[in-house]
Amino acid sequence: MGSLTDFWRYGVVKTARKLKAAALSPVLAARGDGPVRSAYGVLMVPNWQDTTFRYCIFGTYGSDLSDLLLGQREPFVFVDIGANQGLYSLIAAQNPKCRQIIAFEPVPVTHARLAANVGLNGGAERTVLHMLAIADSVGEVEISVAEGHTGTATLAGREGQSGGGGVVIHTIDAPLVDPLLAGELPMFVKIDVEGLESVVIAELAKTKAVARVEAIFYEVDNRWASAREIETLLRASGFTRFAKYGRGHHYDVLATRS
């Protein structure tokens, strides 16, 4: 994409959606506590106090990943690592070629919302939810959850992050991840773990299941993640093409094998 197009899509349009979310959320919240249909066409249980929820409802994240998921034309499995309230798991379930969704969301309150959203939209029979985080060790750790923005929950220990509380979650590493991804179909993986992307990718690379991963859509924030380190890990696992979506210090990348 050209720089002008990127500026329009990821600068002007995204900012406008954020402003719209801030302005209209109080109005919509006052209408009741029934399910809310998002800009992506999926239903979600109301959670208006949460910025992540508002971004889901007003389409602030744009259509890059949603278009990729809906555009898959061959049977596949979607693996949602850092699922939060489940937006992309719900979108993937709209594609009949998506035979299974495997979602990882370790924060108990957020996981409960994920489960409720899956129940609202159908497709629960092909969705497997794990209240687990993928890390380089097995055990219990405390995750930082920012008040009012569940999408920033992180194990990465970002400097200067405040305004949240600690929640104990369960972590698993590659040997325990592998059986959870067992199967034969190709996999499309989304990773959004707020700075721990390289750790998750390193663990995924140790599994037998990685051979079935055809694409990984992951978040990069240059303030606490190294794009070069992540790309090096992926190239070592056979990924050769990297398409950038976004601009500035915070963007997404689609890694594919060919």
Side-chain angles (χ1 to χ4, degrees), residues 109-133:
V109 172
T110 308
H111 186 275
R113 292 188 181 279
L114 164 65
N117 288 333
V118 168
L120 280 175
N121 288 273
E125 72 285 349
R126 54 194 168 107
T127 302
V128 181
L129 306 179
H130 298 291
M131 196 162 64
L132 298 165

Side-chain angles (χ1 to χ4, degrees), residues 166-206:
V167 176
V168 175
I169 62 169
H170 297 276
T171 63
I172 58 172
D173 60 3
L176 294 180
V177 172
D178 213 7
L180 302 182
L181 302 181
E184 298 180 357
L185 289 175
M187 292 188 289
F188 188 117
V189 178
K190 183 219 85 179
I191 302 174
D192 184 355
V193 289
E194 299 300 305
L196 217 68
E197 283 76 14
S198 61
V199 173
V200 171
I201 289 169
E203 291 304 306
L204 188 62
K206 298 173 187 176

Side-chain angles (χ1 to χ4, degrees), residues 1-47:
M1 296 181 185
S3 58
L4 186 58
T5 301
D6 286 351
F7 172 74
W8 176 256
R9 291 188 63 191
Y10 302 113
V12 177
V13 174
K14 189 170 185 177
T15 299
R17 287 172 175 156
K18 288 182 178 180
L19 293 173
K20 182 180 179 182
L24 294 183
S25 290
V27 177
L28 295 176
R31 292 183 177 178
D33 57 0
V36 184
R37 188 168 298 279
S38 79
Y40 300 95
V42 298
L43 292 171
M44 303 184 75
V45 294
N47 188 18

